[in-house]
Amino acid sequence: MAIISKHWALPDWQSVAARAGMNRARTSGGWDDYKQWVYAEGYALVEPRLNSTTLEYRDDLILPTSFTQPRAVSYFAATLGAEIDQRINDYFQQGQDLKGFLLDSWGSQAVEQILRWWDRVLRRAYGKGTIRFSPGYKGLEITANGKILERFLDLPEVVADSQTGIMLPRKSCVALIGWE
């Protein structure tokens, strides 16, 4: 497991706004204070962690149905930690829904930003591969989150419900890439 720089978790504002359901016109005026707030708040709260392993192909790997026996597979997971989840919950419980919603959107995009960064690192190391997959898409059941975490990754602060695949902390994600 690696603690990574918060820098790699900083999402761009347009992706945060899009996740929050705001179109370009809604983000162009009057949002500067919220934009500055959500970046300061999110940056202060996150403790990004990443774990990754690359394994040569073998029969016990967990793969999407679209994979056709790759040479190797990289499994990786990232989390922002539990503190941002708690703050999001606090805002909603206090009736500060806009702050809760913006911080939730920022956190989701921050995890995605880490995965994008690590995707680029892996592609430089391993070359041509599949698209990045996460459980719940393209023939890989969401319940694979827990199985991948248990079998292939050392990220003890992240757990997945065996029935639903939902992870805690919520701002966490599992992904994989197959290598040709």
Side-chain angles (χ1 to χ4, degrees), residues 96-160:
Q96 297 182 52
D97 293 354
L98 180 58
K99 284 186 172 184
F101 193 59
L102 286 175
L103 190 57
D104 184 74
S105 297
W106 187 92
S108 294
Q109 288 306 118
V111 170
E112 175 62 23
Q113 186 65 26
I114 294 169
L115 296 177
R116 284 184 189 141
W117 164 70
W118 194 245
D119 182 303
R120 289 189 301 271
V121 169
L122 290 171
R123 288 180 194 284
R124 281 193 298 272
Y126 294 104
K128 188 172 169 87
T130 65
I131 63 169
R132 174 174 36 101
F133 285 83
S134 285
Y137 299 97
K138 303 238 180 203
L140 186 60
E141 295 292 325
I142 195 165
T143 54
N145 279 328
K147 294 171 188 166
I148 291 170
L149 286 166
E150 289 171 17
R151 289 188 201 170
F152 307 120
L153 297 171
D154 180 24
L155 202 59
E157 61 267 60
V158 179
V159 297

Side-chain angles (χ1 to χ4, degrees), residues 15-36:
S15 68
V16 172
R19 183 170 286 269
M22 297 186 279
N23 62 31
R24 191 173 291 276
R26 295 168 113 182
T27 61
S28 60
W31 286 95
D32 285 345
D33 288 344
Y34 280 107
K35 178 180 174 183
Q36 290 174 8

Side-chain angles (χ1 to χ4, degrees), residues 79-92:
T79 186
L80 299 182
E83 196 171 349
I84 193 169
D85 283 1
Q86 185 57 53
R87 187 66 55 88
I88 292 165
N89 289 341
D90 291 347
Y91 282 128
F92 283 117

